[in-house]
Amino acid sequence: MKKAPQELTVRTEKMVYGGQALARADRFVVFVDDALPNETVRVRLYKKKKQFAFGRAIEILEPAPERIPSDCPWTGDCGGCTFRHCAYPAQLRFKKEVLVESLHGVAGAQELVRDVVPAEQTQDYRNKMVFSFGATMEGELRLGLHRRGSFMHILPADGCWLQSAGSREIVRRVLALAKQLNVPAFHEIKKTPGLRTLTIREARGTNQRMVELVATTAYPGLAEHLLAILEDLADVIYFSIDTNIYGSARPEQRSVLKGSGHIEETLNGLRFRIGPDTFFQSNTAQAEKLFARLRELATLPGRPGVALDLFAGTGPIALHLAAVADRVVAVESWEPSVLAARENLALNDVQNVDVLAADVNAALPEGLPDKIDLVVVDPPRPGLSPEAIAWIAAREPGAILYVSCNPATLARDLKLFLQAPYRIEAVEPFDLFPHTFHLETLVLLRRTS
Ligand SMILES: C[S@@+](CC[C@H](N)C(=O)[O-])C[C@H]1O[C@@H](n2cnc3c(N)ncnc32)[C@H](O)[C@@H]1O
């Protein structure tokens, strides 16, 4: 007989990175989903280890003052948001506390942590959303976001507050079309053919919109109908085929049904060309604040001669630095982003930036200038390799700016930079992802000898 899930009542203490509240039951630690600090909650455990467990709050016995009614019916189930039941100022406070705690043991860091720079727009702020197709147990087609922790279950997203009203309308129309034409969802386990994803990208600086519908195969009339129903809502429309059924969607055949195939976004007056595969910061307004501040810190105490932009993506940081440094070298390992970065340089008529294709984490990339004044790093969640930290420190740049999306790997890497030796001069968090636990942090390090 299947064992009933264990339930217990706990008092929560604080938030941890990942969006759970930490509670203790004797000396046992429980990470509780959907709870806030200082709440008494009934928890149902879903994963148990020797000294800790993961559970979900199923009843809030004593709510925290920061708890508010959620404006989304899927709160707690959806993998998109973790904080919809928490007042926005408290979300920022909790994020700052998590960052401060993560920096424990990093000399001089905790006391420098500033308040999180808030987002003015906390709804409809994402410029890119990827929705997936699936079906209910009864076989009804769905288009939306994944249930938390599930790659099969899809929750409706026609009311999702992370993107715009226009985007929600596109979700409604595309779902209605698929139902009308009787086109099924691709089945992740049985691998039966069907629709996979709908990606909507919205350039906030130009109001241009790109839509891509991805299926494992073509269906008669689908592309024509797609164009007809989205004509008034999208500047660029793709219908794409992806037969790579054993991994995440990676279309190998794309048909442009409308437009040039690209949209253009702006950041602090700079222009960026965005294609269906282009990585781009997903919160335009907050990315503008982050990069404007980065550019300001880059000029302290004076204009840098040579600056490196490592993990450059499509070049937004290099383009911001181009205005304040004599020369910028951007380094990026993913070929499509390297090409996109070069296109963006041309689009902005910028002459003092070079883009190198190289793996920053492996070894010192070839072709770097001997004397480097400033290094900016913006790595993905795993952070920097010790090799990368070693070669950066060996070039002895006067300053390093670290843009981090993961406080844990940030703390680990800062400890190595401190030994190089650098000291920390600023720690400034930015909220690019309201209602989620994610946080971007900008750190300024200065060489001490
Ligand atoms: C967090 S994104 C930042 C991109 C860019 N700075 C921006 O703001 O749009 C990290 C980038 O690092 C690139 N990347 C990941 N690992 C890398 C490596 N080992 N060497 C060079 N680039 C890498 C990714 O392709 C991605 O473009």
Side-chain angles (χ1 to χ4, degrees), residues 279-281 291 309 311-314 316-317 331-334 337 358-361 378-380:
F279 172 83
F280 197 78
Q281 293 286 341
F291 293 150
D309 170 16
F311 306 90
T314 54
I317 293 177
V331 186
E332 163 64 42
S333 61
W334 199 52
S337 285
D359 179 347
V360 172
N361 277 333
D378 183 8

Side-chain angles (χ1 to χ4, degrees), residues 20 35 67 98 168 209 224 246 291 341 381 446 449:
Q20 295 91 13
R67 182 172 283 275
V98 168
R168 291 189 280 276
R209 198 180 274 139
E224 292 77 4
Y246 290 100
F291 293 150
R381 292 174 49 77
R446 183 91 49 205
S449 60

Side-chain angles (χ1 to χ4, degrees), residues 17 99 102-103 381 404-414:
Y17 187 65
L99 176 63
S102 305
L103 293 173
R381 292 174 49 77
S404 164
C405 56
N406 183 345
T409 53
L410 172 68
R412 180 202 66 197
D413 294 348
L414 288 179

Side-chain angles (χ1 to χ4, degrees), residues 245-262:
I245 56 174
Y246 290 100
S248 51
R250 248 188 296 120
E252 63 264 40
Q253 196 188 316
R254 286 193 157 109
S255 311
V256 187
L257 307 180
K258 182 184 174 188
S260 64
H262 292 87

